[in-house]
Amino acid sequence: MRIALIQMTPGTERAENIAQAQRLVAEAVTQGQAELVVMPEVWSCLGGVRDTKLSASEVLPTPGDAGGVLYETLREMARQHGIWVHGGSIGERVEQDGATRLANTTLVFSPDGHEAARYRKIHLFDVVTPNGEGYRESDTYVAGEDVTTVDIAGIPTGLAICYDMRFAELFLALRAADVNMVLLPAAFTQQTGEAHWEVLLRARAIEMQAWVVACGTTGWYVEADGTKRQTYGHSMIVSPWGDVVLTLGSEIGWGVADVDMSLVEKTRQRMQVQQNRRLI
């Protein structure tokens, strides 16, 4: 399968973000002949105050029904280009305990525009980075609960989002579900990206003996309090042996790679880690 990573610099203007995404996806398909495109985390709205995030979000429909602007944009990309679309993640508006909250949600569409999967980010980014910057995703978002897999053109695939990559138990659960590939959109910070992005992605691929496809945002955005923050970019595809077969830099753009799924079984046969597992 030929997979494209769509590396974006989103801001708070949803319409501008949509236009950027449509342009890059069209280029990846027409110039790169992509069969599956993978977009980054919260590409539809990054930064701004809580109300900005809420206004850029939407309630997701029952699969098969018509949805909002973002939902239909992703579905139309799949239909128009005849490709699989992994929609990174968007803000899903949900009601919880009488209050309007958001979920950080992935949507996957098949080439006919059918919704094949949706996944809510399980692990919320509530941390203080070494330079003292604080992040509290749980102030705005609710956590998902379900480990999610999807069949993409016959490839059993696991779904994760950004901070999820630090939790090996999720990836071991996906390995137990016998996935051959994991798709992971992200908006990794510059500081943590420089320190941990590649090493964690390679570790997850090695321990799962599966392809890991990670697509990140890049560049600067502005938080609610006016703070400017930088995301890392460097979107990456890693083989089941831990080899980096594609990496982008820090610019807006896209890249494609041909992913050989036969490497999964070859790797697992040579080193039967799952059969040798003792502790879970």
Side-chain angles (χ1 to χ4, degrees):
M1 171 173 278
R2 175 162 285 194
I3 300 176
L5 302 176
I6 308 298
Q7 186 163 282
M8 298 176 58
T9 297
T12 56
E13 295 298 323
R14 184 173 70 173
E16 294 178 5
N17 296 333
I18 289 173
Q20 183 182 161
Q22 289 172 326
R23 175 179 64 82
L24 292 171
V25 168
E27 289 178 3
V29 173
T30 57
Q31 300 176 32
Q33 289 77 53
E35 301 168 86
L36 162 66
V37 297
V38 180
M39 298 167 65
E41 183 185 19
V42 293
W43 64 269
S44 54
C45 181
L46 182 59
V49 299
R50 182 177 183 275
D51 285 348
T52 299
K53 294 180 173 69
L54 282 171
S55 65
S57 68
E58 59 193 39
V59 176
L60 297 184
T62 301
D65 291 347
V69 172
L70 296 170
Y71 190 90
E72 293 302 325
T73 293
L74 294 170
R75 177 149 64 180
E76 182 55 27
M77 284 179 182
R79 286 176 174 164
Q80 176 186 355
H81 298 296
I83 58 170
W84 286 87
V85 170
H86 177 287
S89 75
I90 62 171
E92 176 193 359
R93 200 177 310 145
V94 298
E95 296 296 322
Q96 185 181 75
D97 300 326
T100 302
R101 303 289 303 280
L102 294 177
N104 191 338
T105 302
T106 288
L107 295 165
V108 180
F109 289 94
S110 65
D112 62 1
H114 168 73
E115 183 192 321
R118 66 177 70 175
Y119 165 72
R120 289 180 176 175
K121 184 178 182 180
I122 293 173
H123 301 97
L124 300 181
F125 193 55
D126 289 355
V127 306
V128 176
T129 58
N131 66 356
E133 289 187 334
Y135 298 79
R136 282 199 56 82
E137 194 173 16
S138 63
D139 285 347
T140 304
Y141 292 88
V142 298
E145 298 179 351
D146 298 326
V147 176
T148 302
T149 64
V150 58
D151 185 299
I152 295 180
I155 301 167
T157 301
L159 302 180
I161 299 174
C162 200
Y163 191 47
D164 282 335
M165 70 191 287
R166 293 185 181 272
F167 298 88
E169 60 269 28
L170 171 58
F171 289 81
L172 292 178
L174 291 170
R175 176 63 184 90
D178 209 25
V179 303
N180 289 357
M181 175 170 68
V182 175
L183 305 181
L184 184 141
F188 236 67
T189 73
Q190 180 71 19
Q191 187 177 27
T192 58
E194 290 175 348
H196 298 152
W197 175 251
E198 180 176 335
V199 68
L200 280 171
L201 291 175
R202 295 184 68 193
R204 296 294 167 253
I206 292 165
E207 70 189 3
M208 292 185 67
Q209 300 175 304
W211 286 94
V212 172
V213 178
C215 185
T217 59
T218 190
W220 294 87
Y221 69 98
V222 181
E223 279 287 13
D225 62 0
T227 302
K228 290 185 178 181
R229 287 178 167 165
Q230 187 177 13
T231 55
Y232 184 60
H234 293 81
S235 301
M236 189 173 294
I237 297 178
V238 185
S239 80
W241 190 246
D243 295 323
V244 177
V245 301
L246 174 67
T247 185
L248 305 184
S250 57
E251 304 300 320
I252 296 171
W254 55 272
V256 296
D258 291 311
V259 172
D260 181 359
M261 286 298 155
S262 71
L263 291 179
V264 175
E265 188 59 29
K266 291 175 182 176
T267 302
R268 292 175 179 178
Q269 284 298 320
R270 287 196 300 263
M271 188 177 294
Q272 298 188 12
V273 173
Q274 193 70 0
Q275 292 86 335
N276 296 335
R277 197 174 301 282
R278 297 285 300 278
L279 297 181
I280 62 171

